[in-house]
Amino acid sequence: MAQTTATPSQTSGDLFSVIATDAPSSLYSRMSSKTTVPSNVSKTSPIQTNNFWGNITLGDQSSYIYTHPYVVWKSNINNFTGLAISHQTDAQKVWGPINDHNAPNYFYSAAGIMSMVLGSSDFDNGFSMSLTNLKKMSIDVTLKSNNSNAGSMTSSILQGMGMVTAVYNNLIPQIHSQVGFQSVSGDTAPKAGIDKYKIVLNDGSVWFMYITFTNNQSCQFALKDSSHIIASNSINNCWIQICCGDFSDYDKAAGCYPIACTLSGSTSNNIGTYSFNYTTAGSGTTPLIYAFPHHVQSFTSKTSSKKSNASINDTVHGQLIGYLTNVFEMSENLPTSANMDPWSSISSFKNASYTQDELNSIRNVAVKDITNDVANLSNVNSMYYSGKILDKFAYVLYVLYYVLKDEDLTKQFLVKMKDAMNRFTGNRQIFPLCYETSWGGICSTGGMSNGDTGVDFGNSAYNDHHFHYGYHIHAAAIIAKIDQLVGDGSWLNNNKTWVNNLVRDVANPSESDNYFPIFRSYDFFIGHSFAHGITVYADGKDEESSSEDYNFNYAMKIWAQVIGDKQMENRANLILAITSRSMNNYMLYMSNNSSIPSRFVPNLVSGIKFENKIEHTTYFGTNAEYVHGIHMLPITPISSFIRKPDFVKEEWESYLINKINGVNSGWKSILMLNVALYDPNTAYNFFNTNNFNYGYLDDGLTLTWALAYSAGVRN
């Protein structure tokens, strides 16, 4: 039986304590990205690179921010200047052609349709924009008139905000719509000091506008023409709120709006609780916040009791439900039993164990795998591919010690692994890493000097850091652990800072760390990471490989166990639990999925998930094994926690079983080891054959691990 040290049960308070505050290693040269931070950005700390509001810090700063349910952006179009707002219903979505799943190959919303624009007649001579209070979960956008009186409006942008709010200071408000106004009528004021208007657009959509006055001010709004509503006079320190949908509970939130959100969390044994805590402004204390399906599924009674009568279509996350609350509190079951050993969520699984025949088969291939020159094989010009190579052999090292219990072979191979890894911890690889000073992060120097985002999948532009560094972190964890057991035990102390720097780059949990943004990749509101960095995408941030996303968090969990950082381990467990729920709503689709549009569900997996579009494809091809396999690799002990046996069975039996005979590349091993997540006997028998075709192995998988995993979870 394979045995590693399990994590004891424990209770933890706030999970977001700092990892370290020291400057990144002097091994990293200091370089600046060719993509500079705009001068109108108030930079008080490292800037988010993969965040939901990222588009507004890039290019001409007029691309879209997806707040869910609204899309907002800066509009410079004549007669429609200001903060543009869009919302499209499911009926307005654009659908792609039908594929071999008998489902549309993609869908998206037409994000650039200006339903409403919060503007001012004072912007007719132009305006400037400034960005302040850049936080992980919010940003303040200020538009300032070029007129001599220099009035301005400021909007706090947060995910899930039920109303788009702008605070007007010495401006004459003007509301625009490219869709056009069908009617505008005064409605019953919900509270003293707040006026309400009902607006019907030419597409039939119903919107409401609330104006909160201060200091006994007032003004009236009237149609100027079919595309513009003009106010009678200037207002100061008053705010206008725009919302879509005919729901009476908007009245309860009118006047109050969120300006920031902080994250808190704790764990107790195998239960994790986390909260979004909203700071509000305006009148009253209760805003309306829209929740995603995965939020609703995990709400505690503290939040579930605050449900409103508002509901609205989102771009790609189904039906959102409004809650009248300033706290979203959610609870999840943590994967505390999934650690370093092969693990499965199959109900009959207890612990990884092996027969003598299985051990013999594993030994026969392991003695071949350890003859590889790992240092030479991993000496490539890519943090991604080098990480995959290092990590696949780290799993062999694990098997030698924990499964085969062969200390002599473990010691021999440990030398090879340390030699290979030391090239990277010494920053002597083909493209060394640097500390990028403009945005704040550890990047590959490949492509940095000329801004070439094609090098190593755009690592220098903050693309895919969690994909790349997760492999290195897990490999380092295995090496450090085995070195403690059979080596001289010094490797961990010598290299802990190097590994922690990679963790901090991707998943720094604290504003006390002045060198990295908080959680560069992971979006706690959406429940998974974004892979896309500092280039503009009109459809928002995106992610292709769900499995390499959670592989980073699994790597962080194992590394935390090795270094004894319980807060990091609990944090990783919580992120994995949130990710499992989110991905099984929006990226992995069983036939009973009710979160995304039903006609897309037969695709079984998302392919590339953007904030505004899901396309059943990959960036490198449309083959079925690519589109499905990129959501599988690498198969690790945490895979079964995300990819549930029922899902894997449905995906295999309804689709992939009919494709597998036509796959004769390394993807074949990925698809077949994935079968072990519901039918480990079939998977084991595929790999446990005489004269196995090594051409079927993915470049990040060894036959040793394929046999050890599938055998370990089948007994």
Side-chain angles (χ1 to χ4, degrees):
M1 178 182 294
Q3 289 258 323
T4 56
T5 302
T7 304
S9 298
Q10 67 170 52
T11 298
S12 169
D14 189 78
L15 297 181
F16 304 106
S17 56
V18 68
I19 297 171
T21 59
D22 55 314
S25 169
S26 59
L27 286 172
Y28 304 131
S29 61
R30 268 47 179 174
M31 300 182 71
S32 180
S33 172
K34 294 296 182 182
T35 302
T36 58
V37 177
S39 59
N40 63 354
V41 172
S42 175
K43 183 180 178 182
T44 58
S45 59
I47 305 295
Q48 293 287 339
T49 57
N50 299 53
N51 211 37
F52 79 97
W53 48 250
N55 272 347
I56 205 169
T57 65
L58 300 167
D60 67 2
Q61 299 182 268
S62 65
S63 195
Y64 311 117
I65 298 176
Y66 295 90
T67 70
H68 310 287
Y70 305 113
V71 186
V72 299
W73 68 100
K74 178 189 72 172
S75 171
N76 289 312
I77 297 175
N78 285 341
N79 296 317
F80 296 94
T81 53
L83 186 69
I85 307 166
S86 180
H87 178 264
Q88 306 298 302
T89 66
D90 274 355
Q92 295 170 295
K93 284 181 166 56
V94 178
W95 296 89
I98 301 299
N99 57 26
D100 67 351
H101 285 279
N102 197 31
N105 203 54
Y106 61 80
F107 71 91
Y108 65 88
S109 295
I113 296 174
M114 291 188 192
S115 304
M116 305 280 276
V117 182
L118 283 162
S120 168
S121 57
D122 295 294
F123 293 164
D124 291 348
N125 294 324
F127 65 91
S128 60
M129 181 176 74
S130 61
L131 306 178
T132 56
N133 298 320
L134 282 72
K135 302 294 185 180
K136 177 64 179 176
M137 302 184 75
S138 64
I139 187 171
D140 287 349
V141 179
T142 298
L143 306 183
K144 185 176 182 180
S145 169
N146 288 346
N147 291 345
S148 57
N149 67 354
S152 65
M153 55 173 266
T154 298
S155 183
S156 297
I157 307 298
L158 296 85
Q159 291 161 301
M161 58 184 183
M163 303 175 176
V164 183
T165 303
V167 179
Y168 281 74
N169 290 293
N170 295 316
L171 291 178
I172 300 173
Q174 187 164 299
I175 311 302
H176 320 294
S177 175
Q178 281 192 326
V179 175
F181 298 115
Q182 185 182 117
S183 66
V184 178
S185 57
D187 210 329
T188 304
K191 305 169 186 175
I194 300 178
D195 286 354
K196 177 184 179 183
Y197 291 83
K198 181 177 181 179
I199 301 170
V200 181
L201 302 185
N202 286 334
D203 62 4
S205 61
V206 177
W207 295 71
F208 286 94
M209 178 172 69
Y210 297 91
I211 307 95
T212 302
F213 296 104
T214 60
N215 299 321
N216 297 313
Q217 297 175 76
S218 66
C219 72
Q220 289 72 47
F221 288 79
L223 270 174
K224 178 182 178 182
D225 54 44
S226 62
S227 298
H228 303 89
I229 301 171
I230 186 72
S232 58
N233 51 266
S234 176
I235 56 177
N236 183 53
N237 192 31
C238 302
W239 47 100
I240 297 177
Q241 297 177 284
I242 299 289
C243 50
C244 184
D246 194 354
F247 307 112
S248 60
D249 277 352
Y250 280 142
D251 284 0
K252 297 177 181 178
C256 182
Y257 56 96
I259 59 172
C261 181
T262 57
L263 181 67
S264 62
S266 62
T267 64
S268 180
N269 297 319
N270 68 331
I271 302 297
T273 302
Y274 68 109
S275 299
F276 305 146
N277 308 291
Y278 293 95
T279 301
T280 61
S283 59
T285 59
T286 307
L288 188 142
I289 310 291
Y290 277 108
F292 282 18
H294 79 279
H295 299 145
V296 174
Q297 293 162 13
S298 59
F299 275 150
T300 67
S301 59
K302 180 176 184 178
T303 302
S304 62
S305 62
K306 307 297 184 181
K307 183 179 178 180
S308 78
N309 62 12
S311 63
I312 195 168
N313 293 140
D314 187 41
T315 52
V316 295
H317 302 101
Q319 194 79 358
L320 309 188
I321 306 298
Y323 286 76
L324 290 161
T325 181
N326 56 11
V327 177
F328 273 15
E329 184 180 80
M330 293 145 285
S331 179
E332 294 286 0
N333 292 315
L334 306 179
T336 53
S337 60
N339 295 294
M340 200 181 292
D341 298 332
W343 183 88
S344 176
S345 60
I346 296 172
S347 59
S348 60
F349 174 78
K350 302 300 181 186
N351 295 292
S353 59
Y354 301 90
T355 67
Q356 190 57 51
D357 285 346
E358 290 167 344
L359 291 173
N360 291 340
S361 293
I362 295 168
R363 176 177 290 276
N364 287 339
V365 298
V367 295
K368 297 177 184 177
D369 278 336
I370 63 176
T371 63
N372 281 282
D373 185 349
V374 183
N376 184 56
L377 290 172
S378 60
N379 187 24
V380 296
N381 62 351
S382 164
M383 284 298 288
Y384 177 66
Y385 287 116
S386 63
K388 288 186 69 172
I389 293 164
L390 290 167
D391 202 22
K392 75 174 181 179
F393 287 114
Y395 277 103
V396 175
L397 184 63
Y398 160 86
V399 171
L400 292 173
Y401 185 82
Y402 286 106
V403 177
L404 297 178
K405 303 186 186 304
D406 191 320
E407 191 166 316
D408 289 338
L409 288 182
T410 301
K411 288 179 178 178
Q412 293 174 34
F413 198 55
L414 176 62
V415 172
K416 281 190 172 185
M417 288 302 301
K418 289 198 289 187
D419 182 46
M421 197 72 188
N422 287 346
R423 171 182 285 113
F424 296 88
T425 59
N427 208 31
R428 299 188 302 272
Q429 62 268 42
I430 294 172
F431 287 134
L433 298 176
C434 67
Y435 178 75
E436 194 283 312
T437 55
S438 291
W439 301 84
I442 294 173
C443 295
S444 170
T445 52
M448 179 65 74
S449 60
N450 62 1
D452 184 355
T453 59
V455 178
D456 201 7
F457 305 96
N459 183 296
S460 64
Y462 292 100
N463 290 357
D464 298 356
H465 281 200
H466 57 321
F467 296 166
H468 298 190
Y469 301 161
Y471 288 110
H472 291 267
I473 292 165
H474 182 264
I478 299 297
I479 292 170
K481 183 65 177 179
I482 299 298
D483 184 60
Q484 289 175 332
L485 296 168
V486 301
D488 63 14
S490 64
W491 197 90
L492 175 58
N493 286 336
N494 293 339
N495 298 287
K496 179 179 177 180
T497 298
W498 183 86
V499 181
N500 271 348
N501 280 338
L502 296 187
V503 175
R504 289 166 65 191
D505 174 80
V506 176
N508 161 41
S510 171
E511 289 184 345
S512 298
D513 188 338
N514 294 318
Y515 294 95
F516 303 95
I518 292 177
F519 294 108
R520 180 188 310 284
S521 301
Y522 197 75
D523 188 309
F524 274 87
F525 196 89
I526 289 181
H528 63 72
S529 298
F530 286 126
H532 189 76
I534 51 174
T535 53
V536 176
Y537 267 19
D539 284 310
K541 299 300 183 183
D542 73 285
E543 180 158 90
E544 180 179 55
S545 178
S546 60
S547 47
E548 288 174 308
D549 177 348
Y550 57 75
N551 183 59
F552 171 87
N553 295 302
Y554 171 67
M556 181 168 62
K557 167 190 169 92
I558 300 304
W559 172 249
Q561 290 179 352
V562 172
I563 65 175
D565 188 333
K566 296 300 181 184
Q567 293 288 66
M568 184 188 292
E569 181 183 355
N570 290 333
R571 191 163 61 245
N573 276 329
L574 177 61
I575 291 172
L576 287 165
I578 299 168
T579 300
S580 179
R581 186 181 297 278
S582 173
M583 286 182 174
N584 280 283
N585 275 279
Y586 319 123
M587 301 180 87
L588 309 175
Y589 316 137
M590 289 192 65
S591 57
N592 62 356
N593 183 293
S594 60
S595 295
I596 64 163
S598 59
R599 68 172 102 172
F600 198 77
V601 169
N603 281 310
L604 296 161
V605 297
S606 55
I608 308 172
K609 177 182 176 288
F610 298 82
E611 293 180 274
N612 186 55
K613 175 175 73 174
I614 302 181
E615 185 167 5
H616 189 71
T617 188
T618 73
Y619 282 112
F620 52 90
T622 59
N623 291 14
E625 64 269 27
Y626 303 166
V627 182
H628 289 261
I630 199 62
H631 291 276
M632 300 174 182
L633 62 81
I635 307 295
T636 75
I638 206 62
S639 296
S640 186
F641 178 72
I642 310 289
R643 299 177 60 84
K644 311 295 186 185
D646 287 348
F647 165 75
V648 176
K649 182 177 189 291
E650 186 172 319
E651 181 188 32
W652 179 256
E653 294 183 352
S654 67
Y655 185 73
L656 291 178
I657 196 171
N658 298 317
K659 298 289 184 180
I660 192 66
N661 288 340
V663 179
N664 295 299
S665 65
W667 289 101
K668 196 178 193 88
S669 64
I670 298 299
L671 269 59
M672 289 306 304
L673 190 54
N674 172 71
V675 173
L677 303 182
Y678 97 96
D679 180 7
N681 287 324
T682 294
Y684 178 77
N685 291 335
F686 170 79
F687 290 104
N688 187 38
T689 57
N690 293 328
N691 301 315
F692 177 82
N693 185 347
Y694 276 72
Y696 290 160
L697 282 180
D698 176 69
D699 55 7
L701 177 65
T702 63
L703 189 54
T704 298
W705 176 247
L707 287 173
Y709 180 79
S710 57
V713 298
R714 78 177 188 145
N715 297 304

